Amino acid sequence: MSEKKLTGVIVMPDKGKAEKATITDSLDSFYNVLDCTTIDIVERRIGGKYYDIICDDEAPLKELPLVSGVDGLIRPMLFGRLFICHHDDEGGLTSLSEEEVKAVLSNCHHGFVFSMGY
């Protein structure tokens, strides 16, 4: 049985960049890509559309946390690396379309996601 792949956007404030990425849809893969041991999935608006954002649940507690998501007033909302995707009606994670990847990346600058909201 082949592992399910998930295409989305990875935001890496530690490297100052964001890019399209395809990863395995597994907890170990999220830990590896986000460089963490505990994740959370939050839903936020980016460019007026809602997305699922997989993040390091403990990133704000780390010494000198790196901001990776800010709202329209440039207030910090998320910290550390992020993986942005969607979910289906059953709660399973799903890939972004090519147009959605472009839309998310157009709101990313130097490892930050701008214009996030609830």
Side-chain angles (χ1 to χ4, degrees):
M1 181 160 99
S2 65
E3 296 178 318
K4 179 183 169 193
K5 297 293 183 183
L6 194 59
T7 298
V9 172
I10 184 166
V11 177
M12 299 174 283
D14 55 314
K15 294 187 177 190
K17 66 180 182 176
E19 62 190 21
K20 177 181 174 182
T22 300
I23 64 172
T24 301
D25 184 0
S26 73
L27 191 55
D28 286 337
S29 182
F30 296 133
Y31 289 158
N32 184 48
V33 169
L34 301 178
D35 191 26
C36 69
T37 57
T38 307
I39 65 165
D40 196 3
I41 301 175
V42 297
E43 187 176 54
R44 297 287 186 273
R45 280 187 318 205
I46 302 171
K49 185 173 181 179
Y50 282 96
Y51 294 90
D52 291 307
I53 303 173
I54 303 165
C55 57
D56 177 354
D57 193 38
E58 297 175 339
L61 306 174
K62 293 181 178 175
E63 187 174 338
L64 300 173
L66 295 173
V67 176
S68 52
V70 295
D71 67 11
L73 299 174
I74 318 299
R75 293 179 297 203
M77 293 184 71
L78 295 172
F79 298 85
R81 290 185 174 194
L82 310 174
F83 186 80
I84 302 168
C85 56
H86 278 305
H87 69 275
D88 59 24
D89 292 339
E90 297 169 2
L93 296 173
T94 61
S95 293
L96 299 182
S97 69
E98 203 57 43
E99 294 78 27
E100 291 167 329
V101 167
K102 289 177 185 175
V104 169
L105 288 174
S106 73
N107 284 281
C108 293
H109 307 282
H110 306 292
F112 294 92
V113 180
F114 285 94
S115 302
M116 301 179 74
Y118 294 97

